[in-house]
């Protein structure tokens, strides 16, 4: 004979499997007229709880109730589940690129991550400009640098 709690858990999990599938997280693609494809993305969370036992309620001479476990008694149990589906954003595929449009305001971490490529490009650009300035100023013919053997004179 199988345990009643096993049957409760099995039934609950089967019902959860019916409610949650890949189509819940990644929605059906939507094609626009310009060839762009939009794919909805959601966050799915769920919780599950079950429990039960075999109990007998007895009353003593003072009228107080006590619970005694006995394996030959009827089973009492239950289970519950909850699901939360929240839209996260949309994957936009088109024009040779894929990007995510968030449905939520970006967090500070997301803002920093989004700013990193631009920051790296600015650093590369600044380094290139410094390198060009150094290369341009190394020509002794322009008179900015002393030629070998030339003494530096300082006026006091």
């Amino acid at each position: 004979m199988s345990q009643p709690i096993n049957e409760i858990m099995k039934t609950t999990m089967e019902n959860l499997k019916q409610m949650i599938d890949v189509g819940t997280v990644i929605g059906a693609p939507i094609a626009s007229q310009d060839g762009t494809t939009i794919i909805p993305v959601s966050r799915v969370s769920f919780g599950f709880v079950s429990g039960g036992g075999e109990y007998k309620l007895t009353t003593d001479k003072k009228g107080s109730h006590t619970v005694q476990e006995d394996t030959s008694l009827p089973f009492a149990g239950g289970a519950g589940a909850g699901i939360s589906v929240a839209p996260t954003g949309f994957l936009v595929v088109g024009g040779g690129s894929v990007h995510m449009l968030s449905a939520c305001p970006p967090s500070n971490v997301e803002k920093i991550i989004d700013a990193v490529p631009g920051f790296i490009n600015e650093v590369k650009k600044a380094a290139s400009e410094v390198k060009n300035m150094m290369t341009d100023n190394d020509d002794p013919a322009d008179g900015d640098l002393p030629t070998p053997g030339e003494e530096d004179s300082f006026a006091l």
Side-chain angles (χ1 to χ4, degrees):
M1 180 174 142
S2 81
Q3 294 290 327
I5 193 70
N6 291 342
E7 292 300 318
I8 291 173
M9 290 179 68
K10 181 179 176 183
T11 303
T12 305
M13 293 306 287
E14 287 173 358
N15 288 332
L16 282 173
K17 284 168 67 174
Q18 290 176 359
M19 290 187 278
I20 300 173
D21 65 359
V22 174
T24 305
V25 178
I26 304 293
I30 303 164
S32 67
Q33 293 177 350
D34 66 352
T36 303
T37 302
I38 302 167
I39 304 169
V41 180
S42 299
R43 176 183 6 210
V44 177
S45 305
F46 70 96
F48 169 74
V49 64
S50 68
E54 297 170 320
Y55 298 100
K56 178 180 178 183
L57 186 64
T58 60
T59 307
D60 62 11
K61 293 178 184 177
K62 296 180 184 178
S64 63
H65 299 291
T66 59
V67 176
Q68 297 175 341
E69 284 193 45
D70 186 347
T71 55
S72 65
L73 297 173
F75 177 80
I83 296 178
S84 169
V85 179
T88 323
F90 301 92
L91 282 174
V92 180
V93 182
S97 69
V98 176
H99 63 278
M100 178 80 173
L101 289 177
S102 180
C104 306
S107 69
N108 290 336
V109 173
E110 289 172 335
K111 289 178 185 178
I112 291 170
I113 290 171
D114 288 343
V116 168
F119 177 73
I120 291 173
N121 288 337
E122 290 295 321
V123 169
K124 284 181 181 179
K125 183 179 172 184
S128 176
E129 289 175 3
V130 168
K131 182 179 177 183
N132 288 340
M133 287 184 349
M134 297 293 286
T135 310
D136 292 344
N137 289 337
D138 284 345
D139 186 10
D142 65 6
D144 290 340
L145 297 175
T147 57
E150 194 178 282
E151 293 184 25
D152 289 335
S153 60
F154 296 100
L156 296 174

